[in-house]
Amino acid sequence: MANKQGQVVASGAFQLFGGGLRDRVGELLGEIFDRTDIEAVGADWRGIVYFTLDDDESTAPESVLGFDPSSGTSGELATLDEVLGAVRTGDIAEAVDSVSFDAWRTATGTRSLDMGACVAPAVYEFLGGDPAERDVEATDLVTYVATAAAIMGRIQALDVQPGDEIPDEVFDEDYWK
């Protein structure tokens, strides 16, 4: 993808990354998944990041996968041609729940999201949050993804199981130094 500037669709409901953000997000995803073959494509207003894998036997290189930092889930969504075509036609807005995005914009008085911004859930899903409950202010996408990954990594390192109470150590910066 040679897109240097990036493109915002439907007031920021979907963002097709330009070179700099694509590199930053791709590098971050590479660290999270411990891979060197990730190329970030874009993200939607919910902070779901869309990417491809260049060197994966079970996934075709033209497949676009999504990573939802709030739930910690990822999976195959479409092909790169389908995503780019939906960006060109604007149909990508429907695929990323622009109706809920528009309701959030109306409720918060926000005109649009800037490139590299998202609306994180009020509480991450993996901490028991409801994905429909969103923050009232937009946040930086890279910060959101990195924070979610760090918290999830801490939970895993402490061997917290579903249904367990979240220990204070998860949020104690001194504990993790």
Side-chain angles (χ1 to χ4, degrees):
M1 289 184 357
N3 187 2
K4 299 248 189 252
Q5 297 298 314
Q7 181 178 350
V8 175
V9 180
S11 301
F14 185 83
Q15 303 163 19
L16 185 65
F17 295 151
L21 188 56
R22 182 175 49 239
D23 293 344
R24 285 181 46 218
V25 173
E27 183 177 313
L28 176 58
L29 291 177
E31 290 175 20
I32 291 169
F33 292 111
D34 194 27
R35 299 184 69 114
T36 58
D37 65 335
I38 292 178
E39 183 171 348
V41 173
D44 69 30
W45 70 279
R46 302 165 294 188
I48 296 172
V49 181
Y50 300 81
F51 63 97
T52 61
L53 298 172
D54 292 334
D55 190 24
D56 191 276
E57 293 178 12
S58 64
T59 305
E62 66 275 2
S63 292
V64 173
L65 294 91
F67 171 57
D68 180 357
S70 177
S71 67
T73 59
S74 62
E76 202 167 321
L77 301 174
T79 67
L80 188 55
D81 285 343
E82 290 169 337
V83 170
L84 295 176
V87 167
R88 273 192 301 281
T89 64
D91 290 342
I92 193 80
E94 184 178 326
V96 300
D97 191 14
S98 65
V99 171
S100 294
F101 176 59
D102 289 341
W104 176 85
R105 288 186 320 118
T106 299
T108 61
T110 304
R111 285 181 51 110
S112 65
L113 285 181
D114 293 332
M115 178 67 74
C118 68
V119 183
V123 176
Y124 297 115
E125 280 183 74
F126 63 79
L127 294 176
D130 179 349
E133 295 178 16
R134 297 279 162 180
D135 280 344
V136 295
E137 292 187 29
T139 191
D140 177 73
L141 175 71
V142 172
T143 301
Y144 165 63
V145 174
T147 301
I151 292 171
M152 184 171 282
R154 291 174 179 184
I155 287 172
Q156 291 172 344
L158 293 169
D159 197 31
V160 177
Q161 300 299 311
D164 289 353
E165 187 171 320
I166 304 296
D168 292 337
E169 291 84 3
V170 169
F171 304 102
D172 183 353
E173 293 301 320
D174 292 331
Y175 182 87
W176 297 100
K177 288 184 180 177

